Amino acid sequence: MKDIRGIDPQLKGIAKKIPYNRFMILVAKPYQTLALKCTKIPDGVACRRVLLTENGRKLPIDIYEPAAVTDVLPCLLMIHGGAFSYKASVYHKKLACLYAAEVRCRVVFPDYHLLPKYPYPAAYEDCLAALRWIVENAESLRIDQTRIGIAGDSAGGTLAATLCNQMTAEALPFPCAQMLVYPAVDATMSTQSMAQYSDTPLWNSRNNQKMWKLYLKKADSVLIRKASPMQKDLPDMIPQTYIETAEYDCLHDEGVLYAERLREAGANVDLNETKGTFHGYDSAIQTQIARTQIAKRITFLKKCFSCEK
């Protein structure tokens, strides 16, 4: 593996190697549920929960929004990462609140169904249901239907990219933005960084291989192509795109290659290759390095949401 002594000193405290297996998934769920409940909503942000039903499954959705604001606002469908296996982490909740407050938008945050019980396409169907619900209820939700963005990190980036590539096929309005943070977009795992980073902090190629195996367990070749954005045919229209990669991350190269693929298809892509970072580095949300990159995401969203349609 390539030397990773270049990791930013601010991130040393979270630079732990974490195994990925069914036992870890089982153990993490109650802890994450409790941690999320105990994480306070900051002043200036309100949160409400709705419960949808998709394919006979209950789908909880949290909406984070500027407090006491009744104006029609843009909307960000934010899809959390976690290897399609883990619930949202505390920092995901903090990010959702930060985006709502700083961008002044409504952040729709689905609690989609997870591995190992629910392989593909369950998570995609949940996120698609959340997006349809936004579009169909935009007036009552006080959401500007012309200013809907889709964002996701890691496995959430997979789902966000898949949704953006399926908007025409799903007969949904064209989104004004897609924001992909160190996304997993290539099920073939054939890049150089995938070969290099097999034991990096928080996530690595060995874990990544296990994840795709679980996620695509019940998928045939057609579904596998649909589930992997790098293999899926791109639509004629591609939203304004922000892709962020981490330097010491097995997913680094596929993020760069996906940006190149989108550009070749005519998309406007902001590629932010962060340095001294590893997958999930922004969970250290109070560090300066994380804050600097999060500010770039906020700038991108503000730019997309301020465009006249």
Side-chain angles (χ1 to χ4, degrees):
M1 189 198 77
K2 185 179 176 181
D3 187 0
I4 59 169
R5 286 179 293 182
I7 287 177
D8 192 289
Q10 300 172 70
L11 304 174
K12 296 292 186 182
I14 64 165
K16 312 295 184 183
K17 294 175 185 177
I18 299 178
Y20 173 72
N21 53 51
R22 290 174 182 266
F23 177 75
M24 286 294 295
I25 295 169
L26 180 65
V27 169
K29 184 175 180 179
Y31 168 77
Q32 288 186 296
T33 301
L34 179 61
L36 281 173
K37 286 183 179 179
C38 294
T39 301
K40 293 182 179 180
I41 305 295
D43 292 341
V45 176
C47 178
R48 51 195 166 113
R49 170 163 284 204
V50 297
L51 191 63
L52 306 186
T53 300
E54 171 62 19
N55 292 330
R57 304 185 298 263
K58 298 297 182 183
L59 175 61
I61 293 178
D62 289 325
I63 304 172
Y64 298 94
E65 56 195 343
V69 173
T70 59
D71 298 344
V72 174
L73 296 177
C75 175
L76 181 67
L77 173 60
M78 179 177 166
I79 307 171
H80 70 81
F84 308 107
S85 308
Y86 298 113
K87 293 178 73 66
S89 295
V90 166
Y91 84 97
H92 288 121
K93 184 174 181 178
K94 291 180 177 179
L95 281 174
C97 292
L98 189 61
Y99 295 152
E102 295 293 325
V103 182
R104 288 190 63 78
C105 65
R106 294 191 163 90
V107 178
V108 174
F109 196 62
D111 186 9
Y112 58 87
H113 287 78
L114 301 169
L115 296 175
K117 186 176 181 179
Y118 296 98
Y120 182 82
Y124 170 76
E125 290 172 345
D126 284 351
C127 295
L128 176 61
L131 183 56
R132 286 196 188 282
W133 175 76
I134 293 168
V135 171
E136 292 169 1
N137 296 277
E139 185 175 358
S140 62
L141 292 169
R142 306 296 289 163
I143 285 171
D144 182 348
Q145 196 178 107
T146 69
R147 292 188 293 165
I148 295 174
I150 304 175
D153 68 293
S154 192
T158 317
L159 295 166
T162 304
L163 275 178
C164 287
N165 291 342
Q166 286 291 112
M167 297 296 279
T168 301
E170 301 289 359
L172 287 164
F174 184 67
C176 69
Q178 70 170 330
M179 186 169 77
L180 312 177
V181 177
Y182 38 75
V185 291
D186 188 357
T188 69
M189 296 180 53
S190 55
T191 64
Q192 183 178 355
S193 63
M194 195 62 67
Q196 285 179 322
Y197 299 130
S198 60
D199 61 350
T200 38
L202 300 190
W203 194 247
N204 57 57
S205 58
R206 286 180 290 189
N207 291 344
N208 204 67
Q209 185 175 35
K210 294 175 187 176
M211 176 195 76
W212 278 116
K213 186 176 181 180
L214 283 174
Y215 185 58
L216 299 175
K217 181 179 180 181
K218 296 182 178 180
D220 58 21
S221 59
V222 174
L223 283 182
I224 290 172
R225 182 178 175 84
K226 185 177 179 180
S228 178
M230 189 68 82
Q231 280 70 54
K232 179 76 172 65
D233 292 338
L234 294 174
D236 292 334
M237 295 179 67
I238 301 169
Q240 290 254 71
T241 301
Y242 171 97
I243 296 179
E244 182 178 307
T245 61
E247 183 175 8
Y248 302 113
D249 182 6
C250 62
L251 299 173
H252 172 272
D253 290 0
E254 63 193 65
V256 173
L257 290 171
Y258 194 60
E260 292 174 358
R261 185 168 184 246
L262 294 179
R263 284 172 176 162
E264 289 172 358
N268 187 340
V269 181
D270 293 345
L271 175 61
N272 178 17
E273 294 186 75
T274 66
K275 301 300 181 183
T277 53
F278 48 83
H279 193 87
Y281 78 94
D282 51 337
S283 59
I285 196 169
Q286 296 302 324
T287 60
Q288 185 57 52
I289 188 170
R291 285 184 170 277
T292 297
Q293 307 311 325
I294 292 167
K296 293 178 182 179
R297 303 174 199 172
I298 289 170
T299 296
F300 168 77
L301 292 173
K302 284 182 175 179
K303 178 181 71 174
C304 293
F305 287 157
S306 66
C307 292
E308 295 294 331
K309 299 295 180 183

